Amino acid sequence: YKRLRAFSDYLLHNVTYLPGCSLVIVNDDPQSTLPRDLHIPENIAHTITWINHTKNVGFAGSVNDGVAQVKTDYIMLLNTDV
């Protein structure tokens, strides 16, 4: 989450197109304070499933962990860390 502002903007923009969908955020940086630093409105924040890794597992590991939590037919990935 090197571009925290961009991630927040993308998330808030896209969540309006995804009513009823699960929101899963995977924090793959153990040193990050992402859950505290990401400013998300309460009406969205309470719907998020957070996965905070205790060690960096990389992109593929993070995606796999996030996808494992999703119970819907479709998945949308937002990755502003590239």
Side-chain angles (χ1 to χ4, degrees), residues 25-78:
I25 297 179
V26 180
N27 179 12
D28 195 39
D29 180 358
Q31 304 303 315
S32 170
T33 57
L34 180 66
R36 184 188 70 211
D37 296 340
L38 192 59
H39 301 288
I40 299 175
E42 184 56 37
N43 65 321
I44 297 169
H46 78 278
T47 67
I48 295 173
T49 298
W50 286 94
I51 299 172
N52 290 295
H53 288 158
T54 57
K55 68 175 188 167
N56 187 302
V57 300
F59 179 75
S62 294
V63 170
N64 288 338
D65 288 347
V67 168
Q69 298 299 311
V70 177
K71 307 298 183 225
T72 58
D73 292 334
Y74 300 98
I75 296 170
M76 179 179 153
L77 296 175
L78 292 178

